[in-house]
């Protein structure tokens, strides 16, 4: 835990100087170690290490980790897409722990990225969480030469199109 100015204890509600913040998420503050320990059972359900500002993935035509038979012929990566090397909004969908589907509104840019637990947790917290599945919209940059997709993690929204 690191020192904080004047905040409210996440457990008991006490306010004051010298509160300590959770060293993992930096969002919850505690007046002492006893309050932090007492709150951990509840806080650990919402406590996540901060995500980086961006996450980079290699976009694939085939669902990573799934049989070739799962490849959908209508999904493609179009290098002449307007999404090439510019920021556009993309939708990221997941279902279970399989490959995650990514596409833009026109479907000129679409494909798969590997399952990523941190990205799923971010979508569940800030996007649409259906329990077994979810979706989130992100600003993204795609570079066709390298097939790299960079998601702006701070830009997530629930619905865009």
């Amino acid at each position: 835990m690191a020192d904080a100015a004047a905040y409210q204890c996440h457990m008991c509600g006490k306010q004051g100087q010298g509160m300590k913040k959770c060293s993992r998420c930096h969002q919850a503050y505690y007046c002492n170690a006893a309050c932090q320990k007492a709150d951990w059972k509840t806080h650990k359900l919402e406590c996540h290490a901060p995500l980086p500002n961006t996450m980079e993935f290699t976009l694939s035509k085939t669902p990573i980790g799934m049989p070739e038979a799962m490849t959908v012929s209508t999904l493609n990566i179009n290098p002449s897409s307007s999404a090439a090397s510019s920021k556009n909004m993309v939708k990221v969908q997941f279902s279970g722990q399989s490959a995650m589907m990514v596409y833009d509104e026109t479907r000129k840019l679409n494909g798969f990225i590997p399952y990523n637990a941190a990205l799923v947790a971010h979508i569940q917290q800030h996007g649409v969480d259906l329990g077994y599945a979810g979706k989130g919209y992100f600003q993204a940059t795609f570079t066709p030469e390298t097939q790299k997709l960079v998601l702006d993690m701070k830009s997530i929204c629930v619905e865009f199109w």
Side-chain angles (χ1 to χ4, degrees):
M1 291 198 291
D3 285 324
Y7 290 95
Q8 183 174 357
C9 179
H10 199 256
M11 178 63 194
C12 71
K14 178 181 170 185
Q15 293 185 347
Q17 298 286 344
M19 294 279 177
K20 306 285 185 182
K21 65 181 173 179
C22 174
S23 61
R24 184 175 181 202
C25 71
H26 306 283
Q27 301 297 312
Y29 291 83
Y30 298 97
C31 55
N32 56 48
C35 276
Q36 183 184 25
K37 186 174 181 177
D39 189 44
W40 180 242
K41 188 173 184 178
T42 302
H43 179 62
K44 71 180 176 182
L45 301 174
E46 63 190 30
C47 181
H48 300 286
L51 284 173
N53 290 335
T54 61
M55 291 182 85
E56 183 177 299
F57 299 93
T58 300
L59 201 61
S60 171
K61 293 181 184 184
T62 306
I64 298 99
M66 299 180 97
E68 288 290 324
M70 294 295 293
T71 303
V72 181
S73 61
T74 58
L75 292 179
N76 58 56
I77 300 168
N78 184 350
S80 63
S81 166
S82 62
S85 296
S86 64
K87 272 204 168 181
N88 284 290
M89 192 63 76
V90 296
K91 182 177 185 179
V92 179
Q93 291 182 194
F94 72 90
S95 180
Q97 292 189 353
S98 59
M100 303 170 76
M101 190 173 183
V102 179
Y103 53 93
D104 66 4
E105 186 174 13
T106 65
R107 302 273 177 140
K108 289 181 180 174
L109 172 70
N110 51 48
F112 297 93
I113 59 175
Y115 176 84
N116 182 286
L119 180 56
V120 167
H122 190 62
I123 291 171
Q124 288 173 325
Q125 186 174 12
H126 302 288
V128 176
D129 178 19
L130 304 172
Y132 62 92
K135 63 181 177 178
Y137 296 80
F138 297 86
Q139 285 287 327
T141 304
F142 177 68
T143 307
E145 299 80 26
T146 60
Q147 304 296 299
K148 295 293 181 191
L149 178 76
V150 178
L151 299 177
D152 178 348
M153 300 310 290
K154 306 250 185 249
S155 69
I156 188 170
C157 61
V158 175
E159 287 292 332
F160 189 74
W161 68 76

